[in-house]
């Protein structure tokens, strides 16, 4: 049994939340327009889903679709436009009321049925041919909506049915952060500016900035110090709830040139099957930015590297003890000739109600 109490990084106690409280906090965060505006405005996300659905129109036309976590219903509408006979749009938050209005505005109410309930509590009149869901969170698994997709797959999907997207891959790479470097160096410049030496603040600043938070920020291509390392792959046709309790892998890469490693960067891709070429939705720093950005994991101290310095280790993503919808990430790593280091990260409070 997990500990019910755990000290947070600020030294205050956090109480483990029961599942009903976790669910309320999660669904309540989707009741405001802001997150839906952000997701719909993410053209990489929304257009890739649209194309992924249309490229599978032969598997959707005349068939029954289940949209898990439908939100405003945009994916359900794409499925209806692709020829689905029936779409069950399941959404537990109050945004379901707006989905009903959007469906009616688009004259799709005969095809799309909006069900305002949690996926685990619904009863459908039939099995479904297709499951579609935009379940991904920060670092892929933050908020753990994938568990509902697995539940839907096991209970409602016909044998041989289609899941969109069908696969997810996780990647890691070391990065340099010139902004952080500048913030740390700032304290050594104060004396020249004001005649007061504040260089002793550097260590304090480093502890505050390079902390145990999973920082969600866009990373530029120039900051990535090696080729990406894929460390995990999830096949949505077969992945189990047990496997989600510890998604882990190993990585090994060599640095491009001389620089300082400030952090590791984690991102994901999801894949839509297609007859000719699979369609990839990528949150890589090498691709156009999405609302997921990248997950940045800061080391305790920057490490200087040279061309071909080896960086290797293991990484594990698992549910937080306080809230099973939130993730923790543990990284064990060796850089060059240094000894092995380990650090565990979690999503800070300002991200807990945003996907």
């Amino acid at each position: 049994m997990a500990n019910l109490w755990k000290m947070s990084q600020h030294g205050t106690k956090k109480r483990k939340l029961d599942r009903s409280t976790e669910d309320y906090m999660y669904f309540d965060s989707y009741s405001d327009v802001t997150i839906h505006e952000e997701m719909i405005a993410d053209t990489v996300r929304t257009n890739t889903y649209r194309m992924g659905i249309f490229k599978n129109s032969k598997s959707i036309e005349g068939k029954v679709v289940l949209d898990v976590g439908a939100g405003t219903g945009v994916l359900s509408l794409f499925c209806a436009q692709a020829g689905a006979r029936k779409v069950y749009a399941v959404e537990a938050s109050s945004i379901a009321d707006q989905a009903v209005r959007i469906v009616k505005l688009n004259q799709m109410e005969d095809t799309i049925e909006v069900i305002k309930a949690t996926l685990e509590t619904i009863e459908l009149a039939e099995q479904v041919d297709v499951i579609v869901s935009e379940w991904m969170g920060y670092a892929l698994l933050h908020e753990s909506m994938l568990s509902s997709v697995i539940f839907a797959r096991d209970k409602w999907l016909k044998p041989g049915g289609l899941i969109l997207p069908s696969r997810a891959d996780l990647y890691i790479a070391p990065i340099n952060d010139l902004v952080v470097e500048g913030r740390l160096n700032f304290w050594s410049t104060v004396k020249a500016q004001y005649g007061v030496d504040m260089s002793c603040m550097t260590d304090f600043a480093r502890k505050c900035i390079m902390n145990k938070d999973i920082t969600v920020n866009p990373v530029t291509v120039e900051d990535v110090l090696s080729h990406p390392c894929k460390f995990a792959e999830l096949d949505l046709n077969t992945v189990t709830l047990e496997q989600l309790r510890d998604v882990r892998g190993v990585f090994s890469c060599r640095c491009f040139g001389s620089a300082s490693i400030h952090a590791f960067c984690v991102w994901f891709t999801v894949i839509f099957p297609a007859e000719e070429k699979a369609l990839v939705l990528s949150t890589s720093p090498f691709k156009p930015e999405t609302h997921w950005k990248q997950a940045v994991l800061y080391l305790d101290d920057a490490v200087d590297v040279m061309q071909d310095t080896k960086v290797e280790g293991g990484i594990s993503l698992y549910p937080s003890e306080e809230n099973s919808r939130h993730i923790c990430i543990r990284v064990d790593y060796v850089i060059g000739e240094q000894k092995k280091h380990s650090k565990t990260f979690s999503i800070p409070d300002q991200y807990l109600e945003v996907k």
Side-chain angles (χ1 to χ4, degrees), residues 273-290:
E275 285 188 354
E276 296 181 359
K277 184 179 180 181
L279 190 64
V280 179
L281 169 54
S282 176
T283 64
S284 165
F286 297 94
K287 297 293 184 179
E289 185 179 328
T290 71

Side-chain angles (χ1 to χ4, degrees), residues 54-201:
F54 288 171
K55 280 181 176 289
N56 284 278
S57 59
K58 288 184 179 179
S59 299
I60 293 173
E61 189 173 359
K63 299 298 179 62
V64 180
V65 178
L66 173 58
D67 183 355
V68 178
T72 55
V74 65
L75 303 187
S76 294
L77 286 159
F78 291 160
C79 290
Q81 291 171 351
R85 172 176 63 82
K86 179 73 175 182
V87 182
Y88 295 103
V90 181
E91 173 57 48
S93 79
S94 61
I95 203 68
D97 300 330
Q98 302 305 316
V100 171
R101 298 180 66 196
I102 293 169
V103 168
K104 187 174 182 180
L105 182 64
N106 286 271
Q107 300 179 339
M108 289 291 189
E109 60 266 40
D110 291 340
T111 301
I112 301 173
E113 179 183 344
V114 178
I115 302 173
K116 188 178 180 180
T118 57
L119 188 284
E120 290 78 5
T121 62
I122 66 168
E123 291 296 330
L124 301 179
E126 56 194 325
Q127 297 291 105
V128 304
D129 303 284
V130 180
I131 291 175
V132 64
S133 180
E134 197 275 77
W135 52 268
M136 301 85 72
Y138 294 132
L140 185 67
L141 296 177
H142 174 59
E143 290 189 338
S144 298
M145 191 175 147
L146 181 53
S147 60
S148 293
V149 177
I150 294 172
F151 182 94
R153 179 198 69 194
D154 293 346
K155 185 171 184 179
W156 297 112
L157 187 64
K158 293 178 181 178
L162 177 65
I163 303 176
L164 297 175
S166 61
R167 197 183 89 209
D169 296 336
L170 277 158
Y171 296 84
I172 188 171
I175 63 169
N176 173 257
D177 193 327
L178 294 177
V179 173
V180 165
E181 195 170 282
R183 290 182 66 187
L184 296 178
N185 290 338
F186 165 77
W187 297 103
S188 297
T189 69
V190 174
K191 185 175 182 179
Q193 183 75 23
Y194 302 113
V196 177
D197 190 347
M198 301 186 75
S199 58
C200 62
M201 282 284 289

